[in-house]
mmCIF file of all heavy atoms in Angstrom:
data_model
loop_
_atom_site.group_PDB
_atom_site.id
_atom_site.type_symbol
_atom_site.label_atom_id
_atom_site.label_comp_id
_atom_site.label_asym_id
_atom_site.label_seq_id
_atom_site.Cartn_x
_atom_site.Cartn_y
_atom_site.Cartn_z
ATOM 1 N N LEU A 1007 -7.734 25.946 4.735
ATOM 2 C CA LEU A 1007 -8.888 26.153 3.862
ATOM 3 C C LEU A 1007 -10.195 26.103 4.651
ATOM 4 O O LEU A 1007 -10.302 25.370 5.629
ATOM 5 C CB LEU A 1007 -8.925 25.094 2.759
ATOM 6 C CG LEU A 1007 -8.095 25.375 1.504
ATOM 7 C CD1 LEU A 1007 -6.632 25.577 1.803
ATOM 8 C CD2 LEU A 1007 -8.289 24.274 0.487
ATOM 9 N N ASN A 1009 -14.294 25.204 5.017
ATOM 10 C CA ASN A 1009 -15.040 24.018 4.614
ATOM 11 C C ASN A 1009 -15.503 24.115 3.162
ATOM 12 O O ASN A 1009 -15.478 23.131 2.433
ATOM 13 C CB ASN A 1009 -16.225 23.768 5.542
ATOM 14 C CG ASN A 1009 -15.795 23.201 6.871
ATOM 15 O OD1 ASN A 1009 -14.723 22.598 6.998
ATOM 16 N ND2 ASN A 1009 -16.611 23.395 7.886
ATOM 17 N N SER A 1036 6.851 14.897 -16.436
ATOM 18 C CA SER A 1036 5.939 16.027 -16.298
ATOM 19 C C SER A 1036 4.912 15.733 -15.214
ATOM 20 O O SER A 1036 4.533 14.584 -15.010
ATOM 21 C CB SER A 1036 5.205 16.295 -17.609
ATOM 22 O OG SER A 1036 6.115 16.669 -18.606
ATOM 23 N N ILE A 1044 -4.287 8.269 2.170
ATOM 24 C CA ILE A 1044 -5.375 7.948 3.093
ATOM 25 C C ILE A 1044 -4.927 6.815 4.016
ATOM 26 O O ILE A 1044 -5.043 6.894 5.223
ATOM 27 C CB ILE A 1044 -6.657 7.531 2.342
ATOM 28 C CG1 ILE A 1044 -7.159 8.671 1.458
ATOM 29 C CG2 ILE A 1044 -7.735 7.081 3.319
ATOM 30 C CD1 ILE A 1044 -8.272 8.259 0.515
ATOM 31 N N VAL A 1050 9.501 7.423 -1.200
ATOM 32 C CA VAL A 1050 9.995 8.525 -2.021
ATOM 33 C C VAL A 1050 11.499 8.339 -2.229
ATOM 34 O O VAL A 1050 12.253 8.188 -1.262
ATOM 35 C CB VAL A 1050 9.728 9.892 -1.348
ATOM 36 C CG1 VAL A 1050 10.180 11.036 -2.255
ATOM 37 C CG2 VAL A 1050 8.255 10.040 -0.990
ATOM 38 N N GLY A 1054 17.592 7.553 -7.101
ATOM 39 C CA GLY A 1054 17.676 6.166 -6.687
ATOM 40 C C GLY A 1054 17.863 5.931 -5.198
ATOM 41 O O GLY A 1054 17.906 4.793 -4.749
ATOM 42 N N PHE A 1065 1.273 14.072 1.634
ATOM 43 C CA PHE A 1065 0.928 14.371 0.251
ATOM 44 C C PHE A 1065 2.185 14.415 -0.594
ATOM 45 O O PHE A 1065 3.285 14.640 -0.081
ATOM 46 C CB PHE A 1065 0.159 15.691 0.154
ATOM 47 C CG PHE A 1065 0.823 16.838 0.861
ATOM 48 C CD1 PHE A 1065 1.677 17.700 0.185
ATOM 49 C CD2 PHE A 1065 0.607 17.051 2.223
ATOM 50 C CE1 PHE A 1065 2.297 18.756 0.834
ATOM 51 C CE2 PHE A 1065 1.219 18.101 2.882
ATOM 52 C CZ PHE A 1065 2.070 18.959 2.187
ATOM 53 N N ILE A 1092 -5.608 13.960 -7.093
ATOM 54 C CA ILE A 1092 -6.106 15.278 -7.483
ATOM 55 C C ILE A 1092 -5.484 15.616 -8.829
ATOM 56 O O ILE A 1092 -4.273 15.819 -8.945
ATOM 57 C CB ILE A 1092 -5.768 16.346 -6.414
ATOM 58 C CG1 ILE A 1092 -6.438 15.952 -5.088
ATOM 59 C CG2 ILE A 1092 -6.211 17.731 -6.883
ATOM 60 C CD1 ILE A 1092 -6.100 16.852 -3.916
ATOM 61 N N VAL A 1104 -11.117 29.855 -7.315
ATOM 62 C CA VAL A 1104 -10.957 30.210 -5.891
ATOM 63 C C VAL A 1104 -9.467 30.441 -5.615
ATOM 64 O O VAL A 1104 -8.805 29.630 -4.969
ATOM 65 C CB VAL A 1104 -11.513 29.087 -4.972
ATOM 66 C CG1 VAL A 1104 -11.630 29.578 -3.532
ATOM 67 C CG2 VAL A 1104 -12.845 28.546 -5.463
ATOM 68 N N PRO A 1113 2.361 28.939 2.238
ATOM 69 C CA PRO A 1113 3.320 28.744 3.331
ATOM 70 C C PRO A 1113 3.779 27.295 3.488
ATOM 71 O O PRO A 1113 4.955 27.040 3.774
ATOM 72 C CB PRO A 1113 2.557 29.219 4.574
ATOM 73 C CG PRO A 1113 1.518 30.154 4.051
ATOM 74 C CD PRO A 1113 1.136 29.597 2.706
ATOM 75 N N ASN A 1125 18.041 19.896 2.949
ATOM 76 C CA ASN A 1125 18.421 18.480 2.975
ATOM 77 C C ASN A 1125 19.390 18.119 1.858
ATOM 78 O O ASN A 1125 20.132 17.153 1.970
ATOM 79 C CB ASN A 1125 17.192 17.575 2.881
ATOM 80 C CG ASN A 1125 16.362 17.601 4.138
ATOM 81 O OD1 ASN A 1125 16.856 17.919 5.211
ATOM 82 N ND2 ASN A 1125 15.088 17.276 4.024
#
Side-chain angles (χ1 to χ4, degrees):
L1007 275 58
N1009 285 337
S1036 296
I1044 299 170
V1050 183
F1065 51 93
I1092 299 175
V1104 192
N1125 289 337

